[in-house]
Amino acid sequence: MQTEPAFRAYDPAAIEPKWQSHWDATKAHEVRDDLPREKCYYVLEMFPYPSGKLHMGHVRNYSIGDAVARYKRMRGFAVLHPMGWDSFGLPAEQAAIERGAHPKKWTYENIAYMRGQLKRMGFSYAWSREFACSDPGYAAREQDIFLDLVEKGLVYRKSSMVNWSTGLNTVLANEQVIDGKCWRTGAPVIQKELPQWSVRITHYAEELLQSTYDLPGWPDAVLIQQRNWIGKSIGAEIDFTVDGRADLKITVFTTRPDTVFGVTFLSIAPEHALLDKIVPASHKAAVDAFKAEVRTVSTQDRTGDTAEKKGVFTGAYVISPVNGERVPLYAANFVVADYGTGAVMAVPAHDTRDFAFAQKYNIAVKQVIVADGKEPSALDEAFTEVGTVVGSAQFNGQRSDAAKVAITDWLASSGKGRKTITWRLRDWGISRQRYWGNPIPFTYGQSGGAVPLRKQDLPVTLPDDVRFDGIGNPLEKHPTWATTANDGSPLTIRTATGPEAARRETDTMDTFMQSSWYFARFTCADAKEPLDKKRVDHWLPVDLYIGGIEHAVLHLLYARFFMKALSDVGYGTVREPFKRLLCQGMVCMETYQRDLGDNKKQWFYPDEVDVTVDAKGKVIGAKAKTDGQPVAVGRVEKMSKSKRNTVDPQSLIDTYGADTARLFILFAAPPERDLEWNPDGVIGANRFLKRVWVLVQENLAALRATTAFAGHAKDVTGADQAVVRKVHATIKRATDAMEKDFSFNTTIAACMELMNELKPDTLSAPVFKLGVTTLLRLLAPMVPHITNELWSDLGNDGDLTIAGWPSFDAAQIDADDADYPVQVNGKMRGKITLPRSLSGPALDQAVLAHPDVVAIIAGRPVKKLVVILHKIVNLVLG
């Protein structure tokens, strides 16, 4: 019969809440703002949208950040590690429509539940700095900043074509349209003209671009995406006169002025302001029909590489400024009015898109650049290489790259063009036609002009009594909100002739506004002003920012812009928000599905199927638990609710504890790599923690009765010396992994190896305790509950943070001697020991002079000797 152990069992359900309560009670993770910056460290994970429950992606992100925060504290840093909530947004309105829950109530109930989950994971946040973006205080300070940006000329309002989500009934920024569809719902996006508030991000285009070369702590993939999105193009603007209308000209931008003599048509945006003025009546119907068609397609869908290139002849012609030729004008779907000049010169011979368009619409092709030593000839495809200029008047014979400069200079000197720069980056449209967002602090008088509110009249708060039917903006339909001041009186504005009735702006701000400066507010969450310049400059930039690469040209670009703008309006001097960016990989798992026909699938949760695995643990088959029938095992892909390949973090915590969840997440893959979910890996992580627990508890009395070894490895021998050296080697390996790239998996692996060497029956008590206490200190950032509990059981006072991260002595890592296996003519013949300091010829001589080697050689000639330092001796004898 099995007997019960003489020590208490590992019980995370009791241990973990105990330590979480201790940390809360002692405010263990709060931080002062007045310490020297070189001893401070700001680590931040992208804050969550309070959707209701944590998912495994959250758990991974926050486990990484928390392990860094705890590690840095153990290294003596004052760590700012805050948490908040990106709480405005459409899902709250969707909940109101679908479930009748008010967005505010739904949001704050979700926050309360998710806060509890975060605390149950033991994440070491400075909770005193917590806020939600929908909190009145944060929203009010953001309205302050909005007015500051207006005053600085960085926010403006005008009518423009916008991306309109047919599913959300609201405007989307360019970055929020993916393949012609809404980034959130997948609904089609069309073009629509509306008055919009926009942020002048283009004012900082050059600085945003150049600063990407000064961010060594950012992944190249993110920087490349941002550079491409900013899209700086250096080229020329060239003026084409409208045939028969000497008073009208169409200006094009091109990066290939060397090909201007080869222009055979012009492409113009369907929404270009000049188009209606120059289209003859004979072509108006066709052009209007084309314009209507284009309006149903988003800008991204029109201009994407894979989009079909369409156009219509306008009936109008332009005159080439370089040779006087009459060139047809086409409206084309791939030209956009607000990019460049809204018109493009087309040279089919030297542009792949233009060549395909010319072939489709039977337009002439004129070659003006040829391969060196060649003559112009019929083309089967566009010639896009550098070559020799032909058919271009005085520029014939020049290299095409040199001709770019020469032709641009000639156009400028003759008044027909000019050198210029264009950007792909567009100003950021922030108006959103929805309720659950931060109100824009402007009003409109009876004359229609936009008037900013005075700061003393802020904040503009949202009404609670709204109806949600999924149609349009609830604020527009509210009976009194738009016309009532904060004090309940009719809303008015001051004019030269006296008060005038006014109406509030009913659009709210894009939620990316809130996430573009929250990290700065965390440095001074109690400030009455939007930001405390002194504390902003003290803590920023964030030392380590952790989040997904999918935010490369959304949140991360907007945040970089915001820091520059905030600096320019006086809220600090820091111009980049994040010193180092860690883009964590996704959490992935197999999918389980059945094909129901008609392109419909039935998806199964992992706990709804029984699986069969191969010898390596890979899932190779599955059956539904309900009917025992086969279920197709899909590919391993990102966990998602829609495909049901998810694992509930709460069930994991309830079964194994938070430390097991943290350990598995951090051990299964390096932070930047995708993590493949493996239930056996979770069990293995739990098993390891139990082994650590048993190792300490079984030897608790002896460990408490002794002091950890503090001497040099030379002071002990045998197994003790080997473990002392292993301890120092483990500390070095773990420290290097953490300092270089936070390779928690390497640190944990090193701890596992160390634990395998900690055998109390072969070690002295002091050396055993050195090994055990080192193990607990190295594991503490990853699994803080069990390590602190065991640390306390050993009789130590206080948190392991106070004990600190252990240090290593490089001189104690390597032994004085090295063992060399001796291989003779391919067969192992023994082992010799030599001083580790020997190398080169001196090592060869010592090998040959060693008595054991002399005996092995036995007078035979040595044809070859190869010694691999500290590894092996290879002898070839005659």
Side-chain angles (χ1 to χ4, degrees), residues 87-107:
S87 52
F88 274 136
L90 191 70
E93 285 191 50
Q94 294 297 110
I97 295 167
E98 296 168 6
R99 297 190 286 274
H102 192 282
K104 181 189 291 187
K105 182 175 185 292
W106 184 84
T107 296

Side-chain angles (χ1 to χ4, degrees), residues 361-407:
Y361 294 100
N362 198 28
I363 303 172
V365 177
K366 181 181 179 182
Q367 189 173 10
V368 292
I369 299 173
V370 296
D372 295 339
K374 302 292 184 179
E375 295 293 329
S377 60
L379 295 173
D380 295 324
E381 60 182 0
F383 178 76
T384 59
E385 306 298 322
V386 174
T388 302
V389 173
V390 297
S392 301
Q394 68 268 36
F395 304 102
N396 288 345
Q398 291 190 18
R399 296 281 294 173
S400 57
D401 47 2
K404 288 183 181 181
V405 177
I407 292 175

Side-chain angles (χ1 to χ4, degrees), residues 61-227:
N61 190 0
Y62 306 145
S63 293
I64 292 169
D66 194 62
V68 172
R70 290 179 179 276
Y71 167 73
K72 287 294 182 179
R73 289 191 193 100
M74 292 183 74
R75 295 302 301 264
F77 287 89
V79 176
L80 174 57
H81 187 211
M83 173 51 67
W85 309 93
D86 191 10
S87 52
F88 274 136
L90 191 70
E93 285 191 50
Q94 294 297 110
I97 295 167
E98 296 168 6
R99 297 190 286 274
H102 192 282
K104 181 189 291 187
K105 182 175 185 292
W106 184 84
T107 296
Y108 283 93
E109 285 179 351
N110 289 349
I111 287 174
Y113 185 82
M114 292 175 70
R115 183 191 299 116
Q117 287 187 300
L118 293 174
K119 289 191 173 185
R120 183 61 186 85
M121 284 296 298
F123 296 139
S124 58
Y125 294 123
W127 286 108
S128 67
R129 300 182 188 234
E130 177 193 16
F131 57 77
C133 291
S134 52
D135 289 349
Y138 188 86
R141 301 293 77 78
E142 185 168 86
Q143 292 171 19
D144 282 344
I145 290 174
F146 186 92
L147 295 179
D148 291 333
L149 296 178
V150 170
E151 185 176 350
K152 193 71 174 178
L154 294 173
V155 171
Y156 62 93
R157 185 176 185 264
K158 73 170 186 177
S159 291
S160 59
M161 299 299 293
V162 297
N163 301 310
W164 182 261
S165 170
T166 57
L168 302 182
N169 290 321
T170 190
V171 173
L172 302 179
N174 288 339
E175 296 86 345
Q176 294 167 316
V177 181
I178 301 173
D179 297 330
K181 295 180 175 60
C182 173
W183 72 295
R184 185 178 290 280
T185 67
V189 174
I190 63 172
Q191 296 296 290
K192 187 174 182 177
E193 186 170 7
L194 285 176
Q196 289 290 293
W197 289 96
S198 294
V199 175
R200 207 180 301 275
I201 190 173
T202 54
H203 179 73
Y204 295 93
E206 186 68 51
E207 185 180 356
L208 285 166
L209 176 64
Q210 295 306 320
S211 296
T212 64
Y213 297 97
D214 298 319
L215 295 172
W218 283 48
D220 288 341
V222 173
L223 297 175
I224 290 170
Q225 285 189 60
Q226 291 207 1
R227 290 168 194 152

Side-chain angles (χ1 to χ4, degrees), residues 294-312:
V294 169
R295 275 196 295 271
T296 66
V297 184
S298 73
T299 300
Q300 279 65 28
D301 216 25
R302 285 166 53 183
T303 59
D305 291 339
T306 60
E308 181 184 359
K309 306 303 183 275
K310 295 181 179 181
V312 63

